[in-house]
Amino acid sequence: MSDEQSSAVIERAPARATRPQSRRVFEDVCKQIRQDVTLGKLRSGDKLPSERDMAEQLGVSRAAVREALRALEASGVLEFRKGVYGGAFIRDMSSTGVTMSISDMLSLGNLSLDNLTETRTCLLSFAVRMACERATEEDLAAIEASLEQVDRATDMNSRIAGIGAFYTLIAAAAHNGVLQILIEAVTLIATDLLTKLRPQTVGEGLSQRRQPIVNAIRARDTDTAVHLMEVHLGQLHAYVDAHGGAKVLQSK
């Protein structure tokens, strides 16, 4: 990381500048860090200055900086690392923040299992449509390998990991980064739910049930592929709902 990158957050304000404090001053700090990320002055993996340095340069309290950093961590922009070389770092682009937000809303009862399934169905139906146009042979081979992983798995955790991979690899085959992040987010929640439910039959017969989806994508048969995915997700929803999935979601 260059000196220019590491000082991006603090270069706009003169040293020891002062300005009126307010309960929401931390939002200004958040805004500035987000702006630096948007402009490319801060990139994935860059380490932010210390709380003290940021507070001095921005003319705000350390408490305001600390609150801003925690808010950015909660939203998935930052991650904190421990140790001698630890600190606040710009997180790699991922679905973590989206997953946390949706998961929190589900736990609070503001979202339902029906909401989750409807969203997954919309996202994955669109991903399948895009995959029919854009998927490469490597994409299709990876999706099929995920099916084989579940069939070969000898423990529940490996099976569930393979199930999650099936959906995220279809998202990858759509070659749309935003869509991939959203699908990864809802898939993490769905696989976490399966882990908690631990149904005895999860993963059994996976290839037989999902291979037709892959075949339709390979054949570039969009209508069939989308229909098969929607039917599959509807069946999965009914199974999870029958096993108390809604209650588990809100008890996380």
Side-chain angles (χ1 to χ4, degrees), residues 3 18 23 33 66 70 91 101 153 177 192 207 213 242-243 248:
D3 292 338
T18 59
R23 290 192 311 165
I33 293 173
R66 187 176 304 114
R70 295 301 179 189
R91 187 189 292 275
S101 297
D192 182 56
S207 294
I213 298 173
H243 286 75
V248 172

Side-chain angles (χ1 to χ4, degrees), residues 135-145 169 173 175 218 220:
T136 65
E137 181 56 40
E138 289 76 13
D139 293 329
L140 295 168
I143 296 170
E144 290 178 331
L169 288 168
H175 294 277
R218 186 182 289 280
R220 313 298 174 181

Side-chain angles (χ1 to χ4, degrees), residues 223-241:
D223 291 341
T224 298
V226 170
H227 173 71
L228 289 171
M229 176 60 80
E230 290 176 347
V231 169
H232 164 67
L233 291 174
Q235 292 172 340
L236 181 60
H237 172 80
Y239 181 85
V240 170
D241 191 35

Side-chain angles (χ1 to χ4, degrees), residues 155-217:
D155 63 273
M156 185 70 68
N157 289 337
S158 296
R159 283 186 175 184
I160 291 175
I163 290 170
F166 173 78
Y167 301 114
T168 57
L169 288 168
I170 286 179
H175 294 277
N176 180 312
V178 176
L179 183 63
Q180 186 172 351
I181 286 174
L182 294 174
I183 289 176
E184 285 177 355
V186 294
T187 296
L188 282 170
I189 294 170
T191 53
D192 182 56
L193 175 58
L194 277 179
T195 300
K196 288 180 169 61
L197 288 175
R198 300 190 69 79
Q200 296 301 311
T201 58
V202 67
E204 292 181 5
L206 182 67
S207 294
Q208 289 75 14
R209 295 197 304 272
R210 302 185 192 185
Q211 185 66 53
I213 298 173
V214 186
N215 293 343
I217 295 174

Side-chain angles (χ1 to χ4, degrees), residues 9 29-30 32-34 36-37 42-49 51 54 64-81 87-94 96-97 100:
V9 176
V29 181
C30 289
Q32 185 154 322
I33 293 173
R34 288 181 184 276
D36 283 339
V37 172
L42 285 171
R43 300 179 181 178
S44 298
D46 284 349
K47 181 180 179 179
L48 297 185
E51 286 182 6
M54 290 180 66
V65 171
R66 187 176 304 114
E67 189 174 1
L69 297 182
R70 295 301 179 189
L72 290 170
E73 180 192 27
S75 64
V77 176
L78 298 180
E79 63 177 335
F80 287 92
R81 302 175 189 172
F89 292 80
I90 302 298
R91 187 189 292 275
D92 291 338
M93 185 182 74
S94 72
T96 304
M100 290 173 61

